[in-house]
Amino acid sequence: MVTKTQAGNNILSIDIGGTSIKSVLLDEGGNMLNEYVKTKTPVEATPKDIVNGIVELVKPFPDTYNRISIGFPGYVKNGVVKTAPNLAKNKWADVDLAQRVANALMKPVRLVNDADQQGLGVVEGKGFEIMFTVGTGFGTALLFDGELLPHLELAHFPINKEEDYDDYIGNRAFEKHGSERWNKRLKKVIEIYKTVFNYDTLYIGGGNSKQIDFKLESNIKLVTNRDGIKGGAKLWKLADKYNIFTVNPEV
């Protein structure tokens, strides 16, 4: 239930994935104010599909928010999508998605990579922390003392002659090779990141995190999409810098 003191100052948090679009209303502290809802992402989703999907998904929500946070599965710069490897091919380069959603819902928007938003929602803010998302694709976010670092598309580093990390442990690899081999691959990726980054804590979320069948080290934590979408509130506490960019609706 939204109280009078909360009314009008909440955040609409949206997580766009290759499989589903999820949304919830948050207060400034990241507390969920309504039931978390989701809808299927259309196959080969175009920008128009995504904007229409968001508008339809949030129609039942009370108009008690004055800001929108969006996590997007690709590289984003200043509210503009540069890559979307798991959505429609050749339809997403330089798409001003933040502006389109801002215009559709008439609220200011901050658009970041989906792993960045999820990372903000789950980290403890102590030392060097990394967020993995293992879902339709593979996503990463880097944070230091709770500060979101400039986004790097680490998923697209090659891991062998034929595959990058996205190919290697994305959902297509899970479906092609099965659970046992996929888990061995994920173990290998974790060992590489442990050696390269020497992280203090690694968080793993995304739809396929529930398929992990090996014992994780004490500084590796499994998290849910419900945890991660709360990063939409923290996103609005950050200053405009790096790839944090506020897009206002066009009047």
Side-chain angles (χ1 to χ4, degrees):
M1 180 68 70
V2 179
T3 68
K4 289 182 179 179
T5 57
Q6 294 168 326
N9 205 35
N10 301 316
I11 299 110
L12 176 66
S13 187
I14 299 166
D15 177 21
I16 300 169
T19 304
S20 63
I21 303 171
K22 300 162 279 287
S23 188
V24 71
L25 276 179
L26 305 172
D27 67 15
E28 291 181 297
N31 300 300
M32 295 170 65
L33 299 174
N34 67 338
E35 190 54 41
Y36 171 96
V37 297
K38 65 180 181 178
T39 187
K40 283 188 176 181
T41 304
V43 176
E44 293 293 311
T46 64
K48 184 177 180 180
D49 290 332
I50 293 297
V51 174
N52 289 344
I54 289 170
V55 171
E56 288 301 312
L57 185 65
V58 306
K59 268 185 179 177
F61 288 15
D63 188 20
T64 59
Y65 59 94
N66 60 6
R67 294 159 286 174
I68 301 169
S69 298
I70 304 175
F72 183 83
Y75 185 71
V76 176
K77 186 172 184 179
N78 297 339
V80 177
V81 173
K82 299 296 182 180
T83 65
N86 294 299
L87 300 177
K89 289 179 174 58
N90 304 318
K91 300 289 186 182
W92 281 97
D94 296 317
V95 171
D96 57 344
L97 183 63
Q99 191 68 67
R100 297 186 192 194
V101 176
N103 292 348
L105 297 177
M106 293 307 295
K107 314 278 185 181
V109 170
R110 284 185 168 184
L111 175 71
V112 295
N113 173 265
D114 56 348
D116 284 348
Q117 178 164 284
Q118 290 192 39
L120 285 170
V122 302
V123 299
E124 293 180 8
K126 298 176 182 178
F128 187 28
E129 298 173 286
I130 296 181
M131 177 78 209
F132 276 4
T133 57
V134 285
T136 306
F138 175 59
T140 59
L142 310 178
L143 302 97
F144 190 79
D145 285 348
E147 179 88 6
L148 187 63
L149 301 179
H151 189 74
L152 303 173
E153 279 290 21
L154 298 175
H156 298 297
F157 270 123
I159 193 167
N160 56 41
K161 289 183 179 179
E162 291 82 30
E163 298 171 301
D164 60 17
Y165 284 84
D166 201 49
D167 300 320
Y168 191 69
I169 54 169
N171 193 56
R172 285 189 295 273
F174 182 87
E175 292 179 345
K176 180 179 179 180
H177 301 295
S179 177
E180 183 179 356
R181 190 168 173 191
W182 181 85
N183 272 278
K184 287 180 180 178
R185 287 180 165 213
L186 181 59
K187 266 185 167 180
K188 178 179 177 179
V189 170
I190 290 172
E191 284 301 314
I192 292 170
Y193 272 68
K194 180 180 175 182
T195 301
V196 172
F197 292 103
N198 194 27
Y199 53 76
D200 292 298
T201 310
L202 171 65
Y203 302 86
I204 306 178
N208 281 341
S209 61
K210 61 181 179 291
Q211 306 293 345
I212 295 173
D213 64 7
F214 55 92
K215 184 175 174 57
L216 299 171
E217 294 183 1
S218 60
N219 65 337
I220 302 177
K221 301 179 181 181
L222 294 179
V223 296
T224 69
N225 286 330
R226 283 176 176 263
D227 298 323
I229 204 167
K230 295 177 182 178
K234 282 191 183 175
L235 184 58
W236 280 97
K237 295 181 184 294
L238 305 180
D240 278 275
K241 63 178 179 177
Y242 305 144
N243 287 332
I244 309 301
F245 189 81
T246 303
V247 175
N248 292 299
E250 295 171 333
V251 179

